Amino acid sequence: MMGITSGNLFRIGELAKAAGISERTIDYYTKLGLISPEKRTLKNYRLYSSETLSTLERINQLKQEKYTLDEIKERLDRWKSVADDSEMTEKLTKLEIQMKQLERDVKELNPLLSELKPSQAREVLANILPKGAACIESLQILLNQFTSM
């Protein structure tokens, strides 16, 4: 196997190894349009960029969160249409995953809170609310920036 080609472009085998997935999976993701080669060599080898490696990491994160490949494609397309900056799309994907996890955690916490004594529930909420309020405030600031544009 050859090393990484010039310009930080990966051949399919190199990309598969770096991402920890099979070449067949890369072919499948390419066919689905989740990823695409940056260019082709004269011998018709597909070359993928380092951004593709980041995209594969986001795909893996979303798969671990039980998103289907169709849902993943929809999210990747949405973030890419908003910003073609891989760092921005990575942060948006992480934020979406964290919000989904938070939503699940809150749903799991509700029945447990109802089993606590009122004083215990108040103490739990007193510890959670300041951080929750700060999170809500951060999201509100983000929303205000978008609505004021």
Side-chain angles (χ1 to χ4, degrees):
M1 173 150 321
M2 298 179 77
I4 295 174
T5 58
S6 62
N8 285 336
L9 293 176
F10 299 86
R11 287 169 64 177
I12 190 169
E14 297 164 337
L15 182 64
K17 186 175 181 179
I21 59 176
S22 70
E23 290 181 29
R24 208 167 149 193
T25 300
I26 300 231
D27 281 335
Y28 186 59
Y29 289 173
T30 301
K31 183 179 169 189
L32 290 177
L34 290 168
I35 59 173
S36 57
E38 191 73 22
K39 63 182 185 176
R40 289 186 177 263
T41 66
L42 294 175
K43 293 183 179 183
N44 212 25
Y45 288 114
R46 287 173 285 172
L47 297 177
Y48 294 88
S49 68
S50 56
E51 285 81 18
T52 304
L53 185 57
S54 296
T55 300
L56 289 172
E57 289 168 359
R58 286 195 299 278
I59 291 169
N60 190 44
Q61 289 172 334
L62 290 165
K63 278 178 63 179
Q64 288 176 2
E65 291 299 319
K66 308 295 185 224
Y67 285 95
T68 66
L69 289 177
D70 285 339
E71 291 171 328
I72 292 170
K73 182 170 180 8
E74 176 190 317
R75 276 154 180 77
L76 292 176
D77 288 347
R78 181 174 14 141
W79 297 137
K80 194 170 191 174
S81 72
V82 172
D84 202 20
D85 177 353
S86 66
E87 184 179 351
M88 170 76 83
T89 58
E90 184 177 342
K91 288 188 183 305
L92 290 168
T93 302
K94 284 182 180 178
L95 182 61
E96 186 168 14
I97 289 169
Q98 289 169 342
M99 287 191 302
K100 185 171 183 125
Q101 180 62 49
L102 184 59
E103 187 179 326
R104 278 197 305 264
D105 289 347
V106 167
K107 284 180 182 174
E108 291 173 9
L109 190 59
N110 266 338
L112 300 174
L113 282 174
S114 66
E115 295 173 10
L116 294 177
K117 294 177 185 173
S119 62
Q120 292 172 314
R122 276 194 299 276
E123 189 172 332
V124 167
L125 290 174
N127 288 316
I128 291 174
L129 287 178
K131 291 177 184 172
C135 182
I136 291 168
E137 187 177 345
S138 295
L139 288 171
Q140 188 65 45
I141 290 167
L142 191 63
L143 286 171
N144 286 339
Q145 286 178 340
F146 284 120
T147 55
S148 66
M149 291 181 166

